[in-house]
Amino acid sequence: MSTGVMNALTVDSPVRRRGRWLANIILVVLGVVFVVPIAWIVLSSVNPAATVSMSVPSGVTFDNFAQVLTFNQSFLPLWNSAIISFGTAALTVVVGILAAYPLSRFNMRFQRGFLYSVLFGSCLPITALMVPVYAMFVQLKLLDSLLGVVLFMAATSLPMAIWMLKNFMDSVPVSLEEAAWVDGASPMRALAQIVLPLMRPGIGVVFIFVFTQAWGNFFVPFVLLFTAEKMPASVAIFQFFGNHGAVAYGQLAAFAMVYSVPILVLYLLMQRLTGSSFALAGGVKG
């Protein structure tokens, strides 16, 4: 029997057809699970009588956005979120690069044990660390401080960031650095001028990963911050949940739309800035 006939029989077999239908049904169900909450947010944000149920509004209004887009309700919490997220992501990336470089380029005696310790650190839940961290912050007078939140969130993000940055750094050919060393460049200069430009996409991935984690983090700012003027948007969203179970659903949906815009802009910027950096990796051939 020819190969073409066997392939045709295999593709058209009932078992493969049922498997394909089952996979498609599962994908459709998963797609609906993701799309329904997003559709509720979009429809409720322009609905003058939004409720917890999803419904098509009888008339489109932007009053929800007008009520939400004020300094105290949106801009100040978003500014606090930007400070915390940018600070956490920048500090994590800088420290993570300096930690990943020797792990990627040099063979050290306790390297494997250190890497497993880092991996174990990435598995620890933040809730398990909050009690000793809270006591330490009381001693260091870092409670109710954005700097304290940034330092703690950067410390908890570092283990995963070091692992990711080390793997990206391993893909950069060492021969490029060796050529720079022969020309008299120091290791730090080779790192800054050779390695980092080649791993810009990896740095962008780690930055976005840490930024989004910090942007949506509710628990850490809720525990470590007390002043309403310092609360990020992830905590300030509680202002739409009134007393006795009353919820301003339309304003909540409008705030969720505004809250999502910076993340979308960051994705687009990172994609544009890091799109063609791996082309330099071909420089070692020949």
Side-chain angles (χ1 to χ4, degrees), residues 171 173 176 198 277-285:
S171 64
L176 291 175
L198 286 173
S277 294
F278 274 142
L280 293 176
V284 297
K285 295 183 178 179

Side-chain angles (χ1 to χ4, degrees), residues 28-212:
V28 169
V29 172
L30 291 176
V32 170
V33 169
F34 279 101
V35 167
V36 167
I38 297 174
W40 179 87
I41 291 174
V42 173
L43 294 175
S44 299
S45 65
V46 294
N47 190 346
T51 63
V52 69
S53 301
M54 187 175 68
S55 60
V56 178
S58 55
V60 176
T61 178
F62 293 99
D63 289 344
N64 293 325
F65 288 96
Q67 295 175 9
V68 163
L69 291 176
T70 62
F71 179 78
N72 289 328
Q73 277 200 318
S74 291
F75 297 122
L76 183 58
L78 288 173
W79 174 249
N80 293 333
S81 291
I83 293 175
I84 293 174
S85 302
F86 273 111
T88 301
L91 184 61
T92 302
V93 168
V94 171
V95 178
I97 287 173
L98 295 177
Y101 184 64
L103 293 172
S104 174
R105 291 298 187 258
F106 305 108
N107 291 321
M108 295 176 288
R109 186 175 181 182
F110 302 105
Q111 183 173 357
R112 184 179 294 273
F114 179 76
L115 284 173
Y116 283 126
S117 300
V118 171
L119 182 62
F120 175 74
S122 67
C123 301
L124 288 175
I126 292 180
T127 50
L129 302 174
M130 283 312 296
V131 173
V133 166
Y134 193 91
M136 183 176 67
F137 272 41
V138 171
Q139 297 295 325
L140 297 176
K141 302 185 185 305
L142 285 175
L143 284 178
D144 200 25
S145 166
L146 293 180
L147 176 63
V149 175
V150 169
L151 292 176
F152 176 67
M153 295 180 75
T156 55
S157 302
L158 263 177
M160 184 60 70
I162 291 174
W163 267 90
M164 295 172 70
L165 288 168
K166 178 187 176 301
N167 290 330
F168 284 119
M169 204 171 287
D170 288 343
S171 64
V172 178
V174 182
S175 55
L176 291 175
E177 290 177 74
E178 292 174 344
W181 294 339
V182 170
D183 292 337
S186 64
M188 285 296 102
R189 186 175 180 184
L191 171 66
Q193 297 185 354
I194 304 296
V195 179
L196 295 186
L198 286 173
M199 58 178 295
R200 265 195 340 210
I203 295 173
V205 169
V206 174
F207 188 91
I208 290 176
F209 175 76
V210 177
F211 186 94
T212 53

Side-chain angles (χ1 to χ4, degrees), residues 1-9:
M1 187 177 295
S2 66
T3 304
V5 175
M6 291 181 64
N7 290 337
L9 290 176

